[in-house]
Every structure is written in C-alpha cells, then in structure tokens.
Amino acid sequence: MRVLIATTPGAGHVAPMLSVAEELVGRGHRVRWYTGAAFRESVRRSGARFEPMRAAYDFSGMTREQAFPHHAGLTGLNGMTTGFREIFLDPAPDQMADLLDLVEVEPPDVLVTDETIFGAGFAREHLGLRQVWVSTSVYLFSSRDTAPFGLGLFPSTAPWARVRNAALRLAAHHVVLRGLRRHGDRIRSRVGLAPMRKGPFENVVHPPDLYLMSTVPSFEYPLGDMLPQTRFVGPLQSATVPDGDLPPWWDELDGRRPVVHLTQGTVANDWRRLLAPGLEALAEEDVTVIATTGADPEDLDLGPLPGNARLCRFVPHAHLLPRTDVMVTNGGYGGVNSALSHGVPLVVAAATEEKHEVGQRVAWSGAGIHLRKRRLSRHDIRDAVRRVLSEPSFVRRAGELRAEYRDHGGRSEAVDRIEELVSGGPSTGPSAPRRSGGSETEKP
C-alpha cells in the first residue's frame, strides 16, 4: 500500500501521526510524509520518506507569535477565527499545489492527514482520492445535539436544547462567523472548486472517507448524528519511549509530594497567561511543580523561580505523566488525551475557543476542571489544583478513562482501519467528494 501522509506543520499535528507512520512502515507499507522542515528528522525516524513544503508557507519550528506576529495577544473569538483563517485556510491552495505534484510523481492508495491541512482535501476532491483524517482536536462537525463549535456548551438531546442549538447555528453562520464562512468560499473558488452550502469550519472540504478519533467515546460528546465513518482508536503514542538524559532534579519526583505538571503548550504559548500566574499560584503549596515552556526558558522573563518549581523546555510525557498527580494546561488536545491515558486529572485554562471545547469535554467527562475566565488570577489556579488534589471524584474518573484508553489499540487499531478502507476498494461512502464543476446540493 502506498500512503501519502500530509500534516499541518505544527507539533500538535505531527505528533499523533508519528505513531501511525511507524505502524504503517512496520507493516511494510510505502509511506511518504509531507510536512514542515522542522520535523524532517522525526519523519525519517518513523521510517517514512520526508517530503518538504515547497510552495506552501512552512511555519514549523516557530511559535504562533513568531510565524504570525500580528496574532500576538489575540484570544477569544477573534483569536480562533484569525487563527483558523490564516493558519489553516490561507495556506491551503499552495499545499494543494505541492500535493498534486507529489501525487503526479507517485499516486498514493490513500491520503492520511490531520483534519486541518485543507490543501489535502482540495487535492482529494480534484483527483478522487481516498482520505483518512487522524484527529488533532475534538470532533469537528456540527450536530443537532450541540451548539456551534467554539461556544463551549454541553450537549443535550432535549427538544429545547435542539431548538437553541439551531438558533445559535443560524446566528453563527449568517452573523457572527459570516466573514469566515465567506472566506472559505473564496479559498475554494481560488482552487477551482464550487462553494459548499455549509456553515463555517465545514464549508472548506468534504468529510473524509474515514475519521479516526485519537481518543475514547467517554471523552467525546455522544451525538446521535455523528458521521458513520467515525472510529475511536484511543491514544496514538509511539512504541518507543524517548531516550536521552533526564533532568538533574528527576529524583525529586519520588512520591513524597504531589507533582503538578504546568504546561503552556508549544505554539499558543503566551507565558504571561498561564505559566507565570501558575508558578505564582503554586509557590506556597506543598507540591512539586514541573513547568514546561515549549520555548527556550531563557527567552521568558519569569523572574526567580519558586523553590518548589522546576523549569524546562520539554519532558517526554512517557516519563513525566506516570509521576504526575494533576496537569495544568492550556487545553491542547494531544496533551489532554495523553494525561487522561495515564489517569492524570486536569485543570484546563484555555485562551481560545477551540481549546475551550477541549476544556469543556474535560469538565463534562468529570476528569478535571475547566477555568473559563479570560484573565486568570493565581487564586483561580491554586483553588482549582487544590480541588483536583483533594476531591477523589477527579482521580477516580481519570482512572476510569485510563482503563477505557487501554481497551483501544491506538496506532495498531488506526492502521487496521486504514488497511480495511483501502482493501474495500474506491471511495463509495456518503462522504465521497464531488468532482469540481458539479452542482452542490447540500443544505446548511
């Protein structure tokens, strides 16, 4: 089987795909991987052939503020819509051009992508390729059982809730997010594709032939109209534990005090929002704080560290999470699922709406607390960590989720599903794309 992987050039999009690539290569499949140059060695270590971005903007290895300086300080709805438009939509035509060149050289049997590299969806639609999505965030598509993406409201099947959801969807599509929806239509027009009569976020590319969710059903909202090609496969983790020297303070994590892992993320990493107040909030607590920055710690003006805190750029979760009692995070999907797969409860302090959706699922599942304030105080973080450490329900629920994660095959189950799709022949399911130039009859 010839596989072409394509991922947005960010760590959160590449990381879950590494284990899928390793498994595909291990089974003897030929794998090429199109992504950012900063991940060249990671791709090669997986056994895949690295294919660089040529026409498309390669922002790999940069923070969001470095890659998109005018995004600095953006939060809330503006942060989400600006990010979606400029990080994911605008690069898509050039991504498509790169991928069409790669397909011409060696046609793949299947495209395996994250859900945000829209250039792959455009290439698929032009050529009629099979496509598999590997999730890097929560379930993307709208449902009658949920409010529009970004509002962070719990699901409900009650008649009143469905009426509310429909009204909110109408307002989002035609008022609040009208500009984003129209931008999606313009991007499709640029690549010679007809507009799709759908709402924002869903009017860019067709659903894939197979949608692999790298989580478990108990962490995702139960939707009566979820796409039938959706499959939950559990956490996508590498089979090899990262090697290298552990930090000199590693022996301090000996179980005598609770360990709090404080992480701001690797891309949306405004250290002033979570990292700095988190260190201050926990300075007097009887815990050991392991804070990871994503960026070089020397570039951050954090001042003197509290005596109970240890700071570093990165510690592999495979090493750290088994020793962690609670994780405080900005809501990155991969990190949250990694924590829960180890039975670690969470405090989520999201800054943008897509991460609020992750935080709401943490709260809905009972495995942690979601702090929804725009501006966090040290008291907010301290009180939330105290609650998670003192109330047994959070640890118990995280432990139940860990057991459910272990019931799924992760990388092996994901590749089983991909092989089943390819062996089943051409794409014929309800998500099969229309050829460009055809009429679009789907309702909003």
Side-chain angles (χ1 to χ4, degrees):
M1 183 170 69
R2 294 172 299 182
V3 181
L4 179 56
I5 294 176
T7 53
T8 296
H13 302 270
V14 170
M17 198 70 77
L18 284 168
S19 64
V20 176
E22 290 172 357
E23 184 73 16
L24 285 163
V25 172
R27 297 191 188 188
H29 301 302
R30 177 172 170 79
V31 182
R32 294 179 295 158
W33 189 338
Y34 170 80
T35 193
F39 304 103
R40 181 189 303 268
E41 290 308 313
S42 296
V43 168
R44 288 176 173 173
R45 283 196 298 271
S46 76
R49 176 181 171 181
F50 175 72
E51 299 287 2
M53 293 182 157
R54 294 181 173 86
Y57 179 36
D58 179 3
F59 52 85
S60 61
M62 292 183 272
T63 67
R64 179 171 174 176
E65 289 79 10
Q66 290 169 335
F68 305 91
H70 55 291
H71 291 196
L74 295 181
T75 60
L77 182 64
N78 188 27
M80 178 182 71
T81 55
T82 302
F84 188 81
R85 183 177 64 249
E86 298 186 10
I87 298 173
F88 304 122
L89 284 178
D90 290 346
D94 289 334
Q95 294 166 354
M96 183 193 77
D98 284 343
L99 289 165
L100 290 178
D101 288 343
L102 292 174
V103 169
E104 185 176 2
V105 171
E106 183 181 316
D109 297 302
V110 63
L111 281 172
V112 179
T113 75
D114 69 74
E115 66 271 58
T116 62
I117 187 161
F118 295 125
F122 295 159
R124 172 211 186 198
E125 194 167 348
H126 276 296
L127 300 176
L129 300 169
R130 305 180 188 88
Q131 186 177 17
V132 177
W133 282 3
V134 176
S135 71
T136 61
S137 190
V138 300
Y139 183 79
L140 182 65
F141 294 97
S142 61
S143 166
R144 63 177 180 267
D145 298 331
T146 57
F149 187 86
L151 292 181
L153 299 177
F154 287 157
S156 175
T157 58
W160 67 266
R162 287 182 171 174
V163 172
R164 176 204 67 184
N165 295 342
L168 290 171
R169 233 177 352 261
L170 187 66
H173 292 182
H174 297 285
V175 182
V176 180
L177 298 175
R178 180 176 59 182
L180 188 63
R181 179 169 57 84
R182 289 179 173 177
H183 194 69
D185 291 342
R186 287 193 293 270
I187 292 294
R188 284 184 60 83
S189 178
R190 280 179 55 191
V191 297
L193 297 173
M196 297 170 63
R197 295 185 59 194
K198 292 186 177 182
F201 307 114
E202 297 181 53
N203 70 322
V204 185
V205 293
H206 289 269
D209 298 285
L210 179 63
Y211 190 3
L212 299 177
M213 297 297 299
S214 54
T215 187
V216 294
S218 293
F219 185 68
E220 187 52 79
Y221 295 154
L223 308 177
D225 51 359
M226 183 174 283
L227 289 176
Q229 63 265 41
T230 306
R231 300 291 184 271
F232 292 88
V233 298
L236 298 175
Q237 299 169 345
S238 175
T240 57
V241 177
D243 54 11
D245 295 334
L246 293 171
W249 41 259
W250 190 253
D251 289 342
E252 297 176 21
L253 310 184
D254 55 9
R256 288 184 292 179
R257 293 199 303 182
V259 173
V260 179
H261 176 30
L262 174 63
T263 174
Q264 181 65 55
T266 57
V267 178
N269 56 355
D270 181 0
W271 56 270
R272 298 172 186 84
R273 185 176 190 278
L274 180 57
L275 197 61
L279 289 168
E280 183 183 1
L282 302 172
E284 303 300 324
E285 300 296 293
D286 187 24
V287 299
T288 298
V289 180
I290 307 301
T292 54
T293 62
D296 188 338
E298 295 183 0
D299 293 340
L300 310 182
D301 186 18
L302 290 169
L305 277 181
N308 66 343
R310 303 292 177 264
L311 187 68
C312 57
R313 183 168 188 165
F314 172 74
V315 180
H317 277 167
H319 292 306
L320 181 57
L321 289 177
R323 301 187 181 212
T324 299
D325 295 279
V326 58
M327 185 162 93
V328 182
T329 172
N330 70 338
Y333 186 74
V336 164
N337 275 282
S338 185
L340 293 175
S341 72
H342 286 84
V344 177
L346 296 127
V347 172
V348 178
T352 56
E353 265 62 14
E354 73 273 17
K355 288 186 170 61
H356 279 302
E357 291 289 353
V358 178
Q360 281 298 89
R361 283 158 175 79
V362 170
W364 173 82
S365 69
I369 294 172
H370 181 201
L371 300 174
R372 300 197 63 173
K373 291 185 177 181
R374 294 295 184 197
R375 292 188 177 274
L376 296 171
S377 72
R378 60 186 179 87
H379 300 291
D380 296 326
I381 299 171
R382 181 200 63 195
D383 293 347
V385 170
R386 284 180 177 177
R387 274 195 65 196
V388 172
L389 288 174
S390 63
E391 296 182 20
S393 63
F394 296 112
V395 174
R396 180 173 64 249
R397 186 66 186 123
E400 291 169 352
L401 284 168
R402 174 177 58 191
E404 188 174 348
Y405 279 92
R406 289 178 176 175
D407 285 340
H408 286 76
R411 50 186 276 162
S412 62
E413 187 172 343
V415 173
D416 285 346
R417 298 294 189 180
I418 294 169
E419 290 176 334
E420 290 169 6
L421 173 70
V422 174
S423 65
S427 172
T428 57
S431 63
R434 301 175 186 274
R435 294 293 190 270
S436 59
S439 62
E440 177 59 70
T441 58
E442 293 176 272
K443 302 298 181 183

